[in-house]
Amino acid sequence: MSRWPAGSQSALREANTALIVDAVKQFGGLTQVELADATGLSAATVSTIVKELTQTGVVDTRPTARSGRRATMVTLARSTGIAAGIVVGHRGLQVLLGDFAHEVLAERTMPLPPDHPLDTVLDRIALLVVDMLEILGTDLTELAGLGVGLPAPVEASTGMISVRGIMRGWDGEHVGNVLAKRLGRPVHVENAANLGALAEATLGAARPYADSLYVRSSFTAGAGIMLGGRLHRGYAGTAGEIGHVQVDPLGQICRCGRRGCLDTVVGADALLASLQVSHGSLTLRDVIARAIDGDPGCARVVADAGRAVGLVVSGVCQTVNPQIVTVGGELSECGEVFLAPLRETLRDHTLPNQVAPMEVQPALLGTEAEVMGALVHALQSTDVRMQRER
C-alpha cells in the first residue's frame, strides 16, 4: 500500500513533470541523464515522465551521443508552437522565428532611420512576423509569443522604457501592449543587452557559469548581468546601463541629458566624428572593416573604445564578480583589435582572483546574441502545457 495519499502522488507527479518541461524549455534540449542532473530527479522518474510527455506530444526524443556513449535527447515538440525574437536597434531591426528547441526557422533584418517612430516600427514588426509565418506555412495561432529587445532600460513588468530621452518618441508607451494588440499574441519586452546575457548564459559561452556579464559595444554600449543563473535587472530595469556611466565630466551631452557618458565616447557617432577629418564620411561597418584590415586610424579608435569600455566594465566586475565576461555587438567583430585592450584594461583595474580567474571571451552567438535572447525570453515566458491545451 502506498505511503502517500493519491492526491499527494498526483501533485508530486505534476510538480516533477513541470520540472522536466521547464528544464527542457530553458536549455532547448537535454539528454535524460542531463535532465536527471538538472532536476535532481532519479533516472527512472525522468524516463517514466519523458515517456508520458512523448505520448502526449509535449516532447520529442531522438538518439544522440555524449562522450562516446549513446543517449536520448529530449526536446519540446514542434507542435508546442513557435515564437518570435525581435530586436529594435538604433539603425536596424532583427526578427527571427524559432521553435522550442531554439532552432531558427526564419530570419529577417531591416534598416531603420535615426529616431525611428514607434508606430512605424511596430507596424513593420507586425507585418514582418505575419509574412514570415506565411512563408513557413503557418499563422498567428501557432505563435506562442514574442520577445522584444530595446536599446534602453526597460521596466519588465510594464514593458515601458524607464528613462526618458534614450529612445525619442518611445517614452511613456506600453510597447508590449501596443504590439500585442496588433498581433493578438503575448509580448515580452526587455532591455537588449539583458537578452544578450540571457542568450549567452542559455546557449553561448556563459552556459557553464552561474554568474556572467554580457557587454554590448555597438551604436551604444550596454551590459546584461546574470547572477545565480537569473537576470539581474535592478530596480525598474536600469542595472547594467554602462553606456550612461560618466567618463568625461567635460564631455558631450548624452541622450540621457547628462554630460560625458560612455556612449558619448565609444558610441558610433563619437567614433565616426573622430575619423571625419582623416577619413571623411564613414559608416560603423566601414570602420569595423578597415580596422580588421589594419587601417591605423580605424584600429586606433576601436582600440581606444575597447579601453574605455574595459575601464567602465571593470567597476561592474569588481562589484558583482562574474565568472566570465562575454563581449558582443558590432565592435566585437574587430576581434583582438577591440578585445585585447578591453581585456588588458579589465586585468589592470580588477583584483586578480587566484582561485577563479575571470574569463573574457567574444560572445559565442556574436551579433545574433540579443535577437536569440529575445527568442529565448519569449519561449521561457510561455507555459508549454497551456500552449498544448489551446
Side-chain angles (χ1 to χ4, degrees):
M1 186 173 178
S2 172
R3 296 183 301 162
W4 304 100
S8 297
Q9 290 182 358
S10 176
L12 180 62
R13 173 60 61 88
E14 185 175 340
N16 289 343
T17 300
L19 278 175
I20 289 174
V21 171
D22 287 345
V24 175
K25 184 170 66 172
Q26 179 179 356
F27 294 104
L30 294 170
T31 67
Q32 292 194 172
V33 172
E34 290 168 338
L35 273 173
D37 290 340
T39 60
L41 300 175
S42 69
T45 298
V46 169
S47 178
T48 299
I49 293 176
V50 166
K51 187 176 295 184
E52 292 174 355
L53 290 171
T54 303
Q55 291 171 348
T56 57
V58 175
V59 304
D60 288 332
T61 60
R62 67 175 189 273
T64 187
R66 284 288 192 271
S67 303
R69 296 183 178 181
R70 286 184 292 181
T72 300
M73 176 64 71
V74 183
T75 59
L76 291 177
R78 170 70 185 275
S79 58
T80 55
I82 58 179
I86 299 153
V87 169
V88 180
H90 287 283
R91 294 291 188 275
L93 174 68
Q94 290 177 282
V95 181
L96 61 76
L97 300 180
D99 60 20
F100 279 87
H102 299 149
E103 179 183 352
V104 176
L105 306 174
E107 186 169 7
R108 293 274 190 90
T109 60
M110 177 181 289
L112 293 174
D115 293 331
H116 34 70
L118 178 140
D119 285 342
T120 300
V121 173
L122 296 187
D123 283 343
R124 290 181 180 179
I125 289 172
L127 290 170
L128 275 176
V129 168
V130 171
D131 183 50
M132 292 164 70
L133 287 169
E134 289 179 354
I135 291 173
L136 292 178
T138 185
D139 56 33
L140 286 169
T141 61
E142 296 300 316
L143 191 66
L146 302 91
V148 178
L150 302 178
V154 172
E155 207 292 301
S157 65
T158 64
M160 296 177 67
I161 295 172
S162 57
V163 177
R164 292 187 61 84
I166 304 299
M167 292 183 70
R168 297 184 183 93
W170 292 58
D171 294 325
E173 297 287 350
H174 289 264
V175 178
N177 289 349
V178 174
L179 187 56
K181 288 179 180 177
R182 279 169 164 78
L183 293 172
R185 310 305 304 143
V187 178
H188 312 279
V189 184
E190 183 59 83
N191 170 265
N194 284 351
L195 294 175
L198 178 64
E200 284 294 305
T202 304
L203 307 169
R207 184 171 177 174
Y209 306 96
D211 302 325
S212 62
L213 179 70
Y214 168 81
V215 175
R216 170 176 46 80
S217 292
S218 180
F219 288 92
T220 58
I225 304 167
M226 298 288 293
L227 296 178
R230 294 179 178 273
L231 268 177
H232 176 71
R233 298 178 175 90
Y235 184 70
T238 56
E241 286 295 322
I242 61 171
H244 300 286
V245 173
Q246 188 183 68
V247 295
D248 182 3
L250 302 178
Q252 300 295 316
I253 298 297
C254 180
R255 289 170 298 129
C256 71
R258 297 190 300 169
R259 186 180 292 277
C261 293
L262 180 64
D263 275 352
T264 67
V265 175
V266 305
D269 290 343
L271 300 186
L272 299 180
S274 67
L275 290 164
Q276 179 68 42
V277 173
S278 60
H279 289 68
S281 296
L282 298 175
T283 65
L284 184 60
R285 299 303 319 172
D286 294 333
V287 174
I288 292 168
R290 294 190 185 195
I292 293 171
D293 288 341
D295 179 283
C298 291
R300 177 59 184 266
V301 299
V302 168
D304 287 347
R307 294 185 188 93
V309 171
L311 186 60
V312 172
V313 170
S314 67
V316 181
C317 291
Q318 195 63 64
T319 303
V320 303
N321 188 29
Q323 296 160 283
I324 186 172
V325 176
T326 60
V327 185
E330 279 83 352
L331 289 186
S332 69
E333 296 180 50
C334 295
E336 290 302 306
V337 177
F338 179 73
L339 291 172
L342 188 155
R343 192 182 290 117
E344 181 181 356
T345 303
L346 276 177
R347 185 176 63 245
D348 291 345
H349 291 85
T350 55
L351 287 173
N353 191 322
Q354 300 299 321
V355 177
M358 183 178 64
E359 295 187 44
V360 180
Q361 297 184 20
L364 188 63
L365 299 171
T367 56
E368 298 285 296
E370 292 167 19
V371 72
M372 283 300 298
L375 174 65
V376 170
H377 185 42
L379 295 172
Q380 291 187 359
S381 301
T382 300
D383 188 323
V384 174
R385 289 162 294 172
M386 292 292 291
Q387 186 72 8
R388 287 289 298 168
E389 293 168 4
R390 284 197 299 113

